[in-house]
């Protein structure tokens, strides 16, 4: 059983982020325009040689750090998608594996799994989308199902084989759930955000101290630089929280299980 997890784009939230980015770009370009009126281009051009060397060094360093952060958050997002798929598949596998377990254990385990699917989709997913901690009810349901699998006493080899397969599926399910909750925490700490923002302001400051004869073109270059850095900030923010924000992991797999599991006999 393999399910592909989609990525959902929240258009209103994405437009809001881009609108904020547009305001920031306009504000920083406006500051640059005011500085151009305050200082003549001849005065600023005196420092272009020194500023150029420093700008190159700082720019390379900042580009490396910014690119590294983008790669890290993308890898985390990719791992999160894989964890969700593994968890969904483990639920489906366990539901089928207990087919060889006799009653009433089979019905009790399957009931726990159906309730778990509903809980994840209707409670945990919205909580993670809001950046909140999930309740412990899901973990309790898995503990109950795992306990019933472990304490089941097989009476023949077929039931023994079903129990062993169920134990392995239950272990994968518990591990996948734990991994999902771990990676739901934002990947970029506050101190790293501070460093990224400070680096971005330093890059903009260098744009301010350059003297260029064509001042409108210089303002356009400043806008392009600020816009590019801002877009990368939006990407980092979106992928550092895989279950929230404008780009998040969908609950398609859980919706499929919620519809499919009750029809399995």
């Amino acid at each position: 059983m393999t399910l592909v997890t989609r990525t959902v784009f929240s258009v209103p939230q994405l437009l809001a982020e881009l609108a904020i980015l547009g305001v920031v770009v306009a504000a920083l370009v406006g500051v640059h325009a005011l500085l151009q009126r305050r200082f003549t281009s001849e005065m600023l051009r005196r420092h272009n040689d020194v500023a150029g060397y420093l700008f190159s060094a700082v720019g390379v360093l900042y580009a490396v750090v910014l690119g590294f952060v983008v790669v890290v958050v993308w890898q985390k997002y990719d791992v999160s998608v894989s964890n969700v798929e593994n968890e969904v598949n483990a639920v489906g596998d366990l539901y089928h594996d207990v087919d060889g377990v006799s009653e009433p254990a089979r019905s009790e385990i399957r009931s726990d799994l159906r309730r778990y699917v509903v809980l994840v989709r209707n409670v945990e997913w919205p909580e993670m989308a809001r950046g909140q901690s999930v309740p412990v009810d899901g973990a309790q349901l898995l503990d109950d199902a795992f306990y019933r699998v472990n304490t089941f006493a097989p009476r023949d080899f077929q039931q023994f084989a079903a129990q062993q397969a169920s134990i392995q599926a239950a272990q994968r399910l518990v591990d996948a759930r734990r991994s999902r909750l771990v990676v739901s925490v934002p990947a970029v700490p506050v101190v790293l955000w501070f460093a990224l923002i400070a680096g971005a302001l330093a890059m903009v400051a260098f744009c301010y101290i350059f003297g260029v004869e064509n001042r409108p073109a210089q303002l356009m270059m400043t806008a392009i630089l600020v816009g590019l850095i801002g877009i990368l900030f939006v990407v980092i923010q979106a992928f550092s929280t895989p279950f929230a924000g404008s780009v998040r992991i969908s609950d398609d797999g859980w919706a499929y299980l919620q519809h499919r599991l009750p029809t399995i006999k």
Side-chain angles (χ1 to χ4, degrees), residues 208-225:
Y208 290 171
I209 63 177
F210 274 103
V212 179
E213 185 174 354
N214 190 340
R215 292 196 160 189
Q218 186 182 13
L219 292 178
M220 183 177 297
M221 288 185 286
T222 300
I224 293 174
L225 176 64

Side-chain angles (χ1 to χ4, degrees), residues 8-265:
V8 176
F9 292 92
S10 176
V11 177
Q13 191 164 356
L14 183 60
L15 291 177
E17 293 171 350
L18 293 178
I20 295 174
L21 174 59
V23 172
V24 172
V25 172
L28 292 177
V29 172
V31 172
H32 195 178
L34 292 176
L35 291 176
Q36 284 183 343
R37 293 184 179 182
R38 176 66 178 79
F39 302 100
T40 63
S41 60
E42 292 77 10
M43 181 186 304
L44 295 175
R45 278 202 296 267
R46 300 172 186 172
H47 312 287
N48 279 1
D49 293 339
V50 176
Y53 287 118
L54 293 176
F55 183 78
S56 299
V58 174
V60 170
L61 177 62
Y62 186 70
V64 170
V65 174
L66 192 60
F68 177 76
V69 175
V70 171
V71 170
V72 168
V73 296
W74 167 250
Q75 289 177 339
K76 174 186 176 178
Y77 187 88
D78 192 46
V79 169
S80 301
V81 172
S82 179
N83 288 335
V84 172
E85 292 181 352
N86 290 337
E87 186 178 4
V88 170
N89 290 332
V91 171
D93 292 343
L94 179 57
Y95 202 90
H96 283 284
D97 290 338
V98 297
D99 188 58
V101 176
S102 61
E103 295 290 357
R106 178 172 66 244
S107 296
E108 292 173 345
I109 296 171
R110 286 183 167 178
S111 176
D112 289 336
L113 293 177
R114 289 194 298 268
R115 291 164 57 196
Y116 178 73
V117 170
V118 173
L119 179 69
V120 170
R121 187 188 181 197
N122 296 339
V123 178
E124 293 191 359
W125 230 252
E127 290 294 327
M128 290 191 299
R130 291 189 291 266
Q132 303 295 325
S133 300
V134 300
V136 299
D137 299 355
Q140 185 61 53
L141 287 173
L142 291 189
D143 290 342
D144 293 343
F146 210 160
Y147 175 79
R148 292 186 174 97
V149 170
N150 284 330
T151 58
F152 171 72
R155 293 191 293 269
D156 53 37
F157 180 77
Q158 181 180 2
Q159 291 185 357
F160 174 78
Q163 183 189 38
Q164 296 305 306
S166 299
I167 290 175
Q168 294 179 4
Q171 290 174 338
R172 294 199 309 272
L173 174 56
V174 172
D175 292 341
R177 173 184 171 80
R178 185 184 304 112
S179 299
R180 168 170 61 87
L181 296 180
V182 168
V183 299
S184 65
V185 179
V188 183
V190 176
V191 63
L192 185 53
W193 273 117
F194 173 79
L196 292 175
I197 294 173
L201 293 177
M203 298 296 295
V204 176
F206 273 108
C207 294
Y208 290 171
I209 63 177
F210 274 103
V212 179
E213 185 174 354
N214 190 340
R215 292 196 160 189
Q218 186 182 13
L219 292 178
M220 183 177 297
M221 288 185 286
T222 300
I224 293 174
L225 176 64
V226 176
L228 179 59
I229 295 176
I231 289 174
L232 292 178
F233 276 17
V234 171
V235 171
I236 292 172
Q237 173 61 28
F239 286 108
S240 66
T241 53
F243 301 98
S246 57
V247 181
R248 56 180 179 267
I249 301 173
S250 73
D251 62 347
D252 288 350
W254 300 107
Y256 172 82
L257 287 181
Q258 188 175 358
H259 172 74
R260 180 76 178 93
L261 293 186
T263 65
I264 299 176
K265 297 181 179 180

